[in-house]
């Protein structure tokens, strides 16, 4: 028992020691954690201050882990969005709905954004929460208020790019290519029509019928070529075929016997349609009237269309087609020389119908019957038909790899729109279909290579095992395949330069439609399909191309293109990765300024004074002595006739004779009835309705002379217009004072109240006034009151209401 007790005591003591040791280690780890946390905060603060000084603050809206990691390695600090995003769809174009997988990604991204850890980057993000981000990387442009950004804020999107990132925009704008570059859009872009207008639908219908006629010619040529090739086989090859070939030929003959025979008139009508089409291209229909052209009726078109359907679907044949072989071959050669899309048209006349502004292959269908296509376009509600559907010619003869269709995703980067600067990425990848290619079935799984469509499908059992299970190749792997096929030079001589040319042409057309914001950039993804002659055909261009690493190919290339985009657009260094400069628009320099002296010749315009009534300078005329004066409210300015004539001394001062007195007329301005009181109103003539200003026959008197009366008005007589000169009234009245009847002295004048009252009389021809320097206006007999007119003193509210006494000095010098 004792050894057992000793063993238990030793065990308990060892357990206690172990617990003490664990506590000690835990305390040490906590101290180390606290110290390391403090050090991490200091480091984070130093890095943050450096980033703020260098303006390296960025914000990311979306799932871009590669971009975030690349920017952090370059010293950038992330400012996280403090609001929850509505939806962060991983889309390739604007206006795309969100599926369940995208919503799951959004939820995951939100949880990651809201999770608060002790990572140093999270500490730095909290330190810059009040700073302005200088780089905004978003999945869609609409998330950010585009116009509220400052000049030094970078954004990875441009505004108004729908002219080439939507199917309807690309369809419409590619028609304007010849106005920008000397190139034919039909040489790299399959012809396309918008089904939202009746005119576009009519153009599509005519195109469908022309393609149908040329397909009939192709059927004749191909059928005779197959027959001749079968007859031209060597005898030993026919014998090696054995009974199997014999049975197959018998089955073919029996099947042909069951088919419905079509008349040779079908070929004649098709040749007629093709000849009319060639005549339009060669402008032979310019001098031909519209009535002279014999076009087919709608019933004849319907009959031709149904016969064509039977022919290409294998339900009928043309029995005597060999008689039309040479004619059809010649017409096809002429059509091929003017129409670069003759080879991709094929025989089935298949068209692909796409939604105008959707991506990732949604709602895309292939059809080969024109009535079904037009019915689909007319099925929508009229209010939602605008820009709804786009129909494009399907490439019926694509290049196949192991009997499987594929397309090419090619990236390019635009860093400036004015001048236009395009960067082309050297690497691309191929996307394969999960099914073997066939035109007998118009299933989207066969004809659409979008990864969003193919990832939900299983690979066909009969597909070649040489194709990868994830249905993607890199462009380097494709070049190896071409090398094994003996066509290794095709990539560098045909495919790659043709894709570069197509992108450059498309961007030049779209340049006038995009908003050219400086300090922005955007990465685009273009889709190409190769024809049998290895020529690439542009299908569409996607904004915000997917960067999800869904396969080993995309995991490698998508991460690489994002890092290279940062090198070109953000770092702007010499290292541009796998990008190469595709096009940089030459900067147009303004014409040199000649530096010639420019001058303006003319007279300055002075501000017009207040409009006033004129003052009359009257010549010596006895006919004006009878003018009717105004009555004054205050002391009259006119001498009373009862007092008799003026004294001889006054007459000498005035320079007048008793029998030849000249009245000096001063007119009062017109006032309203309420102000004038009992003052006389100006008279008007009955004939013309014009105002006649009254005249007052007054003579200048001294201010000390008594003034008790007002002269009686005389009957008005007719005025001679040659005896009247008009001058402004207000400058004369500004020097008058009606309250006391005295004359206000003008500034700068000699003496006080000096007025030139030297009135002319017979034998008195004076050139100038000796006292005031007043000159005569015109000929003898008129005194122009220059000194009064030059007065700048304003008039009082009661001044100018009546005639006033002309006080002050006369022309004769007197001692005051």
């Amino acid at each position: 028992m004792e050894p057992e007790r000793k063993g238990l005591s030793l065990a308990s003591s060892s357990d206690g020691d172990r617990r003490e040791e664990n506590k000690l280690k835990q305390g040490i780890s906590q101290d180390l954690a606290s110290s390391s946390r403090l050090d991490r905060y200091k480091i984070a603060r130093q890095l943050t201050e450096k980033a703020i000084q260098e303006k390296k603050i960025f914000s990311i809206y979306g799932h871009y882990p590669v971009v975030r990691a690349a920017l952090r390695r370059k010293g950038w600090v992330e400012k996280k969005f403090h609001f929850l995003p509505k939806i962060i769809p991983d889309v390739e174009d604007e206006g795309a709905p969100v599926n369940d997988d995208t919503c799951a990604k959004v939820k995951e991204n939100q949880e990651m954004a809201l999770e608060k850890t002790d990572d140093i980057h999270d500490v730095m993000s909290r330190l810059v929460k009040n700073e302005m981000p200088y780089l905004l990387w978003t999945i869609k442009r609409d998330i950010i208020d585009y116009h509220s950004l400052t000049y030094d804020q970078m954004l990875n999107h441009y505004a108004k790019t729908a002219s080439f990132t939507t199917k309807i925009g690309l369809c419409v704008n590619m028609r304007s290519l010849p106005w920008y570059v000397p190139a034919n859009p039909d040489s790299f872009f399959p012809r396309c029509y918008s089904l939202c207008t009746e005119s576009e639908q009519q153009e599509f219908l005519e195109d469908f019928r022309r393609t149908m006629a040329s397909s009939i010619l192709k059927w004749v040529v191909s059928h005779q070529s197959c027959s001749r090739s079968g007859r031209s086989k060597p005898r030993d090859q026919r014998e090696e075929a054995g009974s199997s070939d014999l049975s197959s030929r018998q089955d073919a003959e029996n099947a042909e016997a069951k088919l419905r025979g079509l008349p040779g008139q079908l070929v004649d009508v098709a040749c007629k349609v093709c000849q009319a089409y060639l005549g339009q291209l060669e402008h032979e229909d310019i001098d031909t009237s519209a009535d002279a052209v014999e076009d087919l009726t709608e019933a004849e078109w319907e009959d031709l269309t149904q016969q064509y359907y039977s022919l290409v679907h294998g339900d009928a044949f043309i029995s005597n087609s060999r008689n039309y072989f040479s004619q059809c071959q010649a017409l096809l050669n002429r059509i091929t020389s003017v129409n670069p899309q003759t080879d991709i048209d094929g025989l089935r006349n298949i068209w692909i119908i796409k939604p105008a502004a959707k991506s990732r292959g949604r709602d895309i269908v292939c059809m080969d019957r024109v009535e079904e296509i037009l019915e689909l376009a007319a099925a929508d509600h009229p209010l939602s038909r605008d820009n709804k559907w786009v129909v494009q010619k399907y490439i019926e003869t694509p290049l196949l790899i192991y009997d499987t269709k594929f397309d090419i995703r090619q990236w390019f980067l635009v860093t400036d729109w004015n001048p236009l600067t395009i960067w082309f990425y050297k690497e691309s990848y191929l996307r394969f279909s999960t099914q073997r290619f066939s035109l007998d079935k118009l299933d989207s799984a066969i004809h659409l290579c979008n990864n969003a469509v193919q990832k939900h499908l299983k690979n066909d059992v009969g597909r070649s095992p040489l194709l990868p299970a994830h249905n993607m190749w890199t462009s380097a792997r494709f070049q190896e395949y071409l090398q094994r096929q003996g066509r290794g030079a095709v990539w560098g001589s045909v495919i790659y330069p043709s894709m570069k040319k197509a992108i450059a042409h498309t961007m030049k057309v779209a340049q006038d439609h995009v908003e050219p914001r400086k300090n922005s950039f955007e990465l685009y993804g273009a889709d190409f399909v190769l024809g049998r002659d290895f020529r690439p055909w542009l299908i569409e261009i996607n904004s915000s191309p997917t960067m999800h690493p869904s396969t080993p190919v995309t995991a490698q290339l998508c991460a690489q293109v994002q890092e290279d985009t940062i090198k070109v657009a953000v770092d702007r260094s010499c290292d541009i990765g796998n990008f190469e400069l595709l096009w940089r628009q030459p900067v147009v320099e303004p014409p040199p300024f000649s530096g010639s002296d420019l001058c303006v010749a003319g007279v300055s315009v002075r501000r017009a004074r207040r409009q006033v009534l004129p003052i009359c300078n009257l010549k010596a005329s006895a006919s004006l002595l009878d003018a009717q004066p105004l009555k004054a409210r205050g002391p009259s300015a006119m001498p009373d006739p009862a007092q008799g004539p003026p004294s001889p001394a006054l007459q000498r001062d005035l320079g007048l004779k008793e029998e030849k007195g000249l009245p000096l007329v001063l007119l009062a301005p017109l006032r309203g009835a309420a102000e004038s009181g009992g003052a006389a109103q100006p008279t008007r003539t009955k004939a013309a309705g014009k105002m006649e200003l009254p005249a007052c026959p007054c003579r200048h008197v001294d201010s000390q002379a008594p003034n008790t009366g007002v002269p009686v008005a005389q009957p008005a007589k007719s005025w001679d217009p040659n005896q009247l000169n008009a001058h402004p009234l207000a400058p004369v009245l500004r020097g008058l004072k009606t309250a006391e009847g005295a004359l206000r002295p003008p500034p700068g004048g000699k003496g006080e109240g000096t007025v030139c009252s030297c009135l002319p009389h017979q034998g008195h021809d004076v050139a100038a006034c000796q006292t005031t320097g007043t000159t005569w206006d015109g000929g003898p007999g008129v005194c122009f009151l220059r000194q009064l007119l030059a007065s700048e003193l304003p008039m009082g509210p009661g001044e100018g209401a009546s005639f006033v006494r002309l006080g002050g000095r006369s022309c004769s010098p007197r001692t005051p």
Side-chain angles (χ1 to χ4, degrees):
M1 294 295 293
E2 291 181 359
E4 294 180 356
R5 290 177 180 175
K6 291 181 180 180
L8 291 175
S9 62
L10 292 174
S12 61
S13 62
S14 63
D15 292 340
D17 295 340
R18 192 177 296 109
R19 285 194 297 269
E20 292 294 336
E21 184 179 357
N22 292 335
K23 290 181 180 179
L24 181 60
K25 290 182 179 179
Q26 185 177 1
I28 294 174
S29 63
Q30 289 178 357
D31 295 339
L32 291 175
S34 60
S35 61
S36 62
R37 188 179 300 111
L38 182 60
D39 295 338
R40 186 167 61 250
Y41 177 78
K42 291 181 179 179
I43 296 174
R45 189 171 187 85
Q46 293 176 359
L47 295 177
T48 302
E49 291 177 355
K50 182 179 179 181
I52 294 175
Q53 184 179 2
E54 297 178 355
K55 296 183 178 181
K56 289 187 175 181
I57 312 297
F58 74 96
S59 294
I60 291 182
Y61 194 96
H63 185 65
Y64 292 102
V66 177
V67 176
R68 180 179 287 107
L71 291 175
R72 285 176 175 176
R73 289 196 302 267
K74 297 177 182 295
W76 288 73
V77 179
E78 180 182 6
K79 176 185 178 181
K80 295 183 179 180
F81 285 99
H82 297 287
F83 57 90
L84 293 178
K86 300 178 181 178
I87 282 178
I88 308 179
D90 190 9
V91 297
E92 296 182 355
D93 205 348
E94 297 183 358
V98 184
N99 53 17
D100 297 337
D101 296 339
T102 305
C103 294
K105 294 178 184 178
V106 172
K107 185 176 180 181
E108 180 183 357
N109 294 335
Q110 292 177 358
E111 292 176 355
M112 293 176 60
L114 294 178
E115 183 181 2
K116 294 183 178 180
T117 63
D118 291 335
D119 187 73
I120 187 173
H121 295 292
D122 295 324
V123 176
M124 297 168 67
S125 297
R126 290 193 290 270
L127 291 176
V128 297
K129 64 179 180 179
N130 296 326
E131 299 293 332
M132 181 183 69
Y134 293 94
L135 173 60
L136 298 171
W137 197 294
T138 64
I139 196 169
K140 293 182 66 177
R141 186 195 61 83
D142 296 338
I143 296 175
I144 303 297
D145 187 4
Y146 188 81
H147 298 283
S148 64
L149 301 178
T150 60
Y151 179 78
D152 52 353
Q153 285 185 291
M154 289 184 290
L155 181 65
N156 66 325
H157 290 287
Y158 287 102
K160 300 179 181 180
T161 59
S163 59
F164 66 96
T165 57
T166 59
K167 297 175 179 61
I168 182 64
L170 193 62
C171 170
V172 174
N173 286 280
M174 288 305 296
R175 303 172 187 174
S176 304
L177 180 64
W179 294 99
Y180 294 88
V181 292
N184 184 10
D186 292 340
S187 61
F188 64 90
F189 182 70
R191 55 192 185 276
C192 184
Y193 300 95
S194 173
L195 298 180
C196 59
T197 60
E198 295 182 358
S199 60
E200 293 275 329
Q201 293 181 10
Q202 183 62 31
E203 291 181 7
F204 160 68
L205 179 60
E206 295 175 357
D207 194 337
F208 186 92
R209 290 172 174 176
R210 289 194 303 265
T211 308
M212 177 180 64
S214 62
S215 298
I216 295 175
L217 304 185
K218 291 180 181 179
W219 186 94
V220 173
V221 173
S222 61
H223 184 74
Q224 294 302 317
S225 299
C226 293
S227 301
R228 292 181 180 182
S229 63
R231 290 194 300 267
S232 62
K233 283 185 179 182
R235 182 175 181 179
D236 54 352
Q237 292 183 5
R238 292 198 300 268
E239 291 177 354
E240 290 178 359
S243 60
S244 60
D245 289 347
L246 179 62
S247 61
S248 62
R249 283 196 299 268
Q250 290 177 354
D251 294 340
E253 291 177 359
N254 295 332
E256 187 174 346
K258 297 178 181 179
L259 297 179
R260 180 169 63 95
L262 298 176
Q265 184 181 2
L266 176 64
V267 183
D268 294 333
V269 176
C271 291
K272 179 181 177 181
V273 174
C274 292
Q275 289 175 354
Y277 169 65
L278 291 172
Q280 293 178 0
L281 294 179
E282 297 173 0
H283 307 290
E284 294 179 356
D285 58 336
I286 295 179
D287 298 332
T288 305
S289 61
D291 299 336
V293 178
E294 296 181 1
D295 196 5
L296 299 179
T297 62
E298 289 298 326
E300 293 175 344
W301 276 117
E302 181 65 24
D303 186 35
L304 180 64
T305 303
Q306 296 302 324
Q307 292 180 4
Y308 164 74
Y309 290 158
S310 302
L311 180 65
V312 297
H313 289 91
D315 299 332
F317 72 100
I318 302 175
S319 57
N320 56 346
S321 59
R322 67 177 63 92
N323 299 333
Y324 300 93
F325 175 78
S326 59
Q327 181 182 2
C328 294
Q329 185 68 53
L331 282 176
L332 284 177
N333 292 336
R334 292 180 58 190
I335 293 175
T336 305
S337 63
V338 296
N339 183 12
Q341 299 186 11
T342 304
D343 185 57
I344 68 173
D345 287 344
L347 293 174
R348 301 289 298 271
N349 204 1
I350 300 175
W351 294 73
I352 184 168
I353 296 89
K354 312 174 185 180
K358 289 186 179 181
S359 62
R360 297 183 296 172
R362 293 186 306 272
D363 300 334
I364 296 180
V365 293
C366 295
M367 295 182 178
D368 58 356
R369 293 182 179 269
V370 64
E371 60 274 7
E372 295 178 358
I373 298 174
L374 297 178
E375 182 180 357
L376 176 63
D380 294 325
H381 194 272
L383 296 179
S384 62
R385 283 181 56 193
D386 292 342
N387 302 337
K388 178 62 178 176
W389 293 104
V390 170
V391 58
Q392 189 175 31
K393 186 64 186 71
Y394 181 72
I395 301 175
E396 300 184 21
T397 58
L399 180 67
L400 303 178
I401 298 179
Y402 302 124
D403 295 332
T404 305
K405 184 183 176 181
F406 67 94
D407 66 359
I408 301 177
R409 167 57 61 89
Q410 178 64 56
W411 292 301
F412 66 95
L413 175 68
V414 178
T415 56
D416 199 349
W417 284 97
N418 188 20
L420 179 60
T421 307
I422 311 172
W423 303 82
F424 198 79
Y425 204 65
K426 299 178 183 179
E427 297 289 338
S428 56
Y429 64 94
L430 279 65
R431 303 179 297 185
F432 290 95
S433 174
T434 57
Q435 313 297 317
R436 298 182 63 183
F437 182 76
S438 174
L439 292 178
D440 296 333
K441 295 181 180 180
L442 301 181
D443 191 3
S444 299
I446 301 175
H447 305 285
L448 297 182
C449 300
N450 302 62
N451 185 56
V453 176
Q454 298 295 334
K455 68 181 181 180
H456 300 291
L457 303 174
K458 294 182 179 180
N459 294 335
D460 188 12
V461 179
R463 204 181 69 152
S464 175
L466 298 176
L467 293 175
H470 52 76
N471 299 320
M472 286 190 184
W473 271 4
T474 62
S475 58
R477 176 71 179 84
F478 179 52
Q479 295 178 51
E480 295 176 0
Y481 167 80
L482 294 175
Q483 190 71 32
R484 289 195 304 268
Q485 299 295 324
R487 307 299 300 269
V490 173
W491 175 265
S493 61
V494 178
I495 301 176
Y496 191 74
S498 297
M499 289 192 300
K500 293 170 62 177
K501 187 181 297 184
I503 293 299
H505 290 345
T506 306
M507 294 298 101
K508 291 177 183 179
V509 176
Q511 182 180 9
D512 293 340
H513 302 278
V514 181
E515 185 174 346
R517 181 185 183 271
K518 295 294 183 180
N519 215 16
S520 291
F521 61 92
E522 188 161 5
L523 182 69
Y524 302 99
D527 295 338
F528 290 92
V529 172
L530 301 182
R532 287 186 302 189
D533 56 353
F534 299 98
R535 284 195 306 166
W537 295 90
L538 176 63
I539 304 302
E540 62 184 10
I541 297 177
N542 299 308
S543 63
S544 299
T546 178
M547 294 295 167
H548 185 65
S550 58
T551 65
V553 174
T554 55
Q556 174 191 352
L557 294 182
C558 291
Q560 185 177 349
V561 71
Q562 292 179 80
E563 293 182 359
D564 292 343
T565 300
I566 295 175
K567 293 178 182 178
V568 175
V570 180
D571 296 343
R572 300 176 183 177
S573 61
C574 298
D575 185 10
I576 58 177
N578 282 332
F579 277 106
E580 64 172 328
L581 183 61
L582 172 60
W583 170 258
R584 175 173 289 165
Q585 190 177 29
V587 178
V588 180
E589 297 182 358
F593 181 64
S594 61
S596 59
D597 296 334
L598 301 178
C599 61
V600 178
V603 180
S604 61
V605 179
R606 298 180 180 178
R607 187 176 61 181
R609 295 185 178 182
R610 185 173 53 188
Q611 185 176 3
V612 294
L613 294 177
I615 182 172
C616 300
N617 292 334
L618 304 180
K619 296 182 179 180
S621 175
S623 60
L624 297 180
L625 296 177
D626 299 331
Q628 206 174 22
L630 289 175
K631 293 183 179 180
R633 292 182 298 175
S636 176
M638 305 302 158
D640 192 354
Q643 298 178 358
S647 61
L650 182 59
Q651 289 184 0
R652 286 193 304 269
D653 291 341
L654 294 178
L656 302 176
K657 292 184 178 180
E658 294 181 3
E659 67 275 8
K660 298 294 183 179
L662 176 67
L664 178 62
V665 181
L666 296 179
L667 301 181
L670 298 179
R671 302 178 63 88
E675 302 179 17
S676 59
Q681 299 296 330
T683 60
R684 297 179 182 271
T685 58
K686 297 182 180 180
K690 297 183 179 180
M691 183 187 305
E692 290 185 356
L693 297 177
C696 178
C698 61
R699 286 174 294 182
H700 181 72
V701 294
D702 191 25
S703 58
Q704 297 178 358
N707 186 9
T708 58
V710 178
V712 181
Q714 298 295 330
K717 296 183 180 181
S718 60
W719 289 13
D720 187 0
N722 296 325
Q723 299 175 349
L724 181 62
N725 290 329
H727 292 280
L729 176 64
V732 178
L733 298 179
R734 286 174 184 170
L736 303 181
K737 186 176 180 181
T738 57
E740 300 295 336
L743 183 67
R744 182 177 300 172
K750 297 181 181 180
E752 297 179 358
T754 303
V755 179
C756 179
S757 57
C758 298
L759 300 180
H761 53 87
Q762 294 180 356
H764 184 75
D765 187 4
V766 183
C769 179
Q770 298 295 332
T771 304
T772 63
T774 304
T775 60
W776 295 94
D777 186 12
V782 178
C783 179
F784 182 39
L785 305 180
R786 293 184 180 271
Q787 189 169 3
L788 291 179
L789 293 177
S791 175
E792 298 294 338
L793 295 179
M795 294 174 59
E799 297 175 4
S802 62
F803 289 104
V804 296
R805 183 185 309 168
L806 296 180
R809 298 179 180 178
S810 63
C811 289
S812 300
R814 291 189 302 176
T815 303

